[in-house]
Amino acid sequence: MAGYAPVVEVCSTMSAYDRWRLGVERCVVVPTMGALHRGHASLMEAARRARPEWPIVVTVFVNPTQFSEAADFERYPKTLDADAALCRDAGAACVLAPSAAEVYPRGPLAGVPPLPAVATRPGLEDRFRPGHFAGVCQVVRRLFEMTRPHAAIFGEKDWQQLQVIRAMVRELDLGVEIVASPTVREADGLAMSSRNRFLTAEDRTHGLALSRALREASQERTVARAEERMAVVLSGLDVEYAVIRDAESLEAWREGRPGRALIAARVGSVRLIDNAAWHPRDA
Ligand code: PAF
């Protein structure tokens, strides 16, 4: 464990955070929307592994500008006390849970940065959640401005988000190292998500098709066959996409490039996403 006390400072205002930050030379930030689970704890472990000497700051902010559906925003779970306890147990030094007024002092419409191509061209999350990446880029850039980190951790579960943030940081030269952390799964293979709590037992069983489709796609040697195989495994679900793409640009995959299998499907009242590396040479 790094050389800071196993207590967590919870700051709900920027003046409290700025006081804490004064004594800190460098920090690593884990941006979250709260409702934390084991997957988030693993992001904090990744932070500690990447930069053992830097204190970990966890931001908890349910960002209204990245939700395409008002109902999804309204029902997003808010569990700050439990979140702070999880952050403390996972070795975070500080939790910043700011108000919307502090995050967006000029209003929620101000400050959307230019979006990288990977946020608008692939026809994946950008197609099914219009406006989502404008909100994500806006809030991530703002949270970086507020917390002033030297590194930040993002989960691979939101694969397109990870590529969008990497591209934004590069294109805007934000000077923050982006570290990716692998998806954490339940024992049955379901990728962990704060929204899984809304799945019924039956939905949960149906939701296992996503990780099964990814496993089966990894056994195929061509994009067409891998996509067909995913479509078969996912038949019966309300599938938005199940595709093989270039792992970085998320555009069409070409021989020699790293590939990624990506799925989004609605199961009951929940939209599930999942992804995995795809290497035809391994098939
Ligand atoms: O991945 C998330 O939880 C959110 O999109 C993020 C990065 C915290 C921005 O609100």
Coordinates of all heavy atoms in Angstrom, one line a residue, residues 31-33 40 59 61 63 66 76 132 135-136 139-140 143 154 158 161 165, ligand 1:
P31 N -12.4 8.5 -12.5 CA -13.7 9.1 -12.6 C -14.8 8.1 -12.6 O -14.7 7.0 -13.3 CB -13.6 9.8 -14.0 CG -12.2 9.7 -14.5 CD -11.6 8.5 -13.8
T32 N -15.9 8.3 -11.8 CA -17.0 7.4 -11.7 C -18.3 8.2 -11.6 O -18.3 9.4 -11.4 CB -16.9 6.5 -10.5 OG1 -17.4 7.2 -9.4 CG2 -15.5 5.9 -10.2
M33 N -19.4 7.4 -11.8 CA -20.7 8.0 -11.5 C -21.3 7.5 -10.2 O -22.5 7.5 -10.0 CB -21.6 7.8 -12.7 CG -21.1 8.5 -14.0 SD -22.4 8.9 -15.2 CE -23.0 7.3 -15.5
H40 N -15.3 -1.2 -9.9 CA -14.6 0.1 -9.6 C -13.5 -0.1 -8.7 O -12.4 0.6 -8.8 CB -15.7 1.1 -9.0 CG -16.8 1.5 -9.9 ND1 -18.0 0.9 -9.8 CD2 -16.8 2.4 -10.9 CE1 -18.8 1.5 -10.7 NE2 -18.1 2.3 -11.4
T59 N -13.6 10.4 -8.4 CA -14.7 11.4 -8.5 C -16.0 10.7 -8.6 O -16.1 9.6 -9.3 CB -14.5 12.3 -9.8 OG1 -14.5 11.5 -10.9 CG2 -13.2 13.1 -9.7
F61 N -19.8 11.6 -9.7 CA -20.7 12.6 -10.3 C -21.5 12.0 -11.3 O -21.0 11.4 -12.3 CB -19.8 13.7 -10.9 CG -20.7 14.8 -11.5 CD1 -21.6 15.6 -10.7 CD2 -20.6 15.1 -12.9 CE1 -22.4 16.6 -11.3 CE2 -21.4 16.1 -13.4 CZ -22.3 16.8 -12.6
N63 N -23.3 12.4 -14.3 CA -23.2 13.5 -15.2 C -24.5 13.6 -16.1 O -24.7 12.8 -17.0 CB -22.0 13.3 -16.1 CG -22.0 14.3 -17.2 OD1 -22.3 15.5 -17.0 ND2 -21.5 13.9 -18.4
Q66 N -24.5 13.3 -20.2 CA -24.2 12.1 -21.1 C -25.3 11.1 -21.2 O -25.1 10.1 -21.8 CB -22.9 11.5 -20.5 CG -23.1 10.7 -19.2 CD -21.7 10.2 -18.7 OE1 -20.9 11.0 -18.2 NE2 -21.5 8.9 -18.9
Y76 N -30.6 6.4 -12.0 CA -29.2 6.0 -11.7 C -29.0 6.0 -10.2 O -29.3 7.0 -9.5 CB -28.2 6.9 -12.4 CG -26.9 6.3 -12.6 CD1 -26.6 5.5 -13.7 CD2 -26.0 6.3 -11.5 CE1 -25.4 4.8 -13.8 CE2 -24.8 5.6 -11.7 CZ -24.5 4.9 -12.8 OH -23.3 4.2 -12.9
H132 N -24.2 11.3 -26.3 CA -23.5 10.6 -25.1 C -22.0 11.1 -25.0 O -21.6 11.5 -24.0 CB -23.6 9.1 -25.3 CG -22.9 8.4 -24.2 ND1 -23.2 8.5 -22.9 CD2 -21.8 7.5 -24.3 CE1 -22.3 7.7 -22.2 NE2 -21.5 7.1 -23.0
G135 N -21.3 14.6 -23.9 CA -21.4 14.7 -22.5 C -20.2 14.1 -21.8 O -19.7 14.6 -20.8
V136 N -19.7 12.9 -22.3 CA -18.6 12.3 -21.6 C -17.3 13.1 -21.8 O -16.6 13.4 -20.8 CB -18.4 10.8 -22.2 CG1 -17.0 10.3 -21.8 CG2 -19.5 9.9 -21.8
V139 N -17.5 16.2 -19.5 CA -17.3 16.0 -18.1 C -15.9 15.6 -17.8 O -15.4 16.0 -16.8 CB -18.4 15.1 -17.5 CG1 -18.1 13.6 -17.8 CG2 -18.6 15.4 -16.0
V140 N -15.4 14.7 -18.6 CA -14.0 14.2 -18.3 C -13.0 15.3 -18.4 O -12.2 15.5 -17.5 CB -13.6 13.0 -19.2 CG1 -12.2 12.7 -19.1 CG2 -14.5 11.8 -18.9
L143 N -13.6 17.3 -15.3 CA -13.1 16.7 -14.1 C -11.5 16.7 -14.0 O -11.0 16.8 -12.9 CB -13.6 15.2 -14.0 CG -15.1 15.1 -13.8 CD1 -15.6 13.6 -13.9 CD2 -15.5 15.6 -12.4
F154 N -9.5 4.2 -16.7 CA -10.8 4.0 -17.3 C -11.0 2.5 -17.6 O -10.0 1.8 -17.9 CB -11.0 4.8 -18.6 CG -11.1 6.2 -18.4 CD1 -10.0 7.0 -18.3 CD2 -12.3 6.8 -18.1 CE1 -10.0 8.4 -18.1 CE2 -12.4 8.2 -17.9 CZ -11.3 9.0 -17.8
D158 N -16.3 -0.1 -21.1 CA -16.8 1.0 -22.0 C -15.7 1.2 -23.0 O -15.0 2.2 -23.0 CB -17.1 2.2 -21.2 CG -18.2 2.0 -20.2 OD1 -19.4 2.0 -20.7 OD2 -18.0 1.8 -19.0
Q161 N -15.8 4.4 -25.2 CA -15.5 5.5 -24.3 C -14.0 5.6 -24.1 O -13.4 6.7 -24.1 CB -16.2 5.4 -23.0 CG -15.8 6.4 -21.9 CD -16.6 6.3 -20.6 OE1 -17.7 6.8 -20.6 NE2 -16.1 5.7 -19.6
I165 N -11.7 8.8 -25.1 CA -11.0 9.6 -24.1 C -9.5 9.7 -24.5 O -8.9 10.7 -24.4 CB -11.2 9.1 -22.7 CG1 -12.7 9.5 -22.3 CG2 -10.2 9.7 -21.7 CD1 -13.2 8.8 -21.1
Ligands
PAF1 O1 -17.7 5.5 -17.3 C1 -18.3 6.3 -16.5 O2 -18.7 5.9 -15.4 C2 -18.6 7.7 -17.0 O3 -18.9 7.7 -18.3 C3 -17.5 8.7 -16.6 C4 -16.2 8.4 -17.4 C5 -17.3 8.7 -15.1 C6 -17.9 10.1 -17.0 O4 -19.1 10.5 -16.4

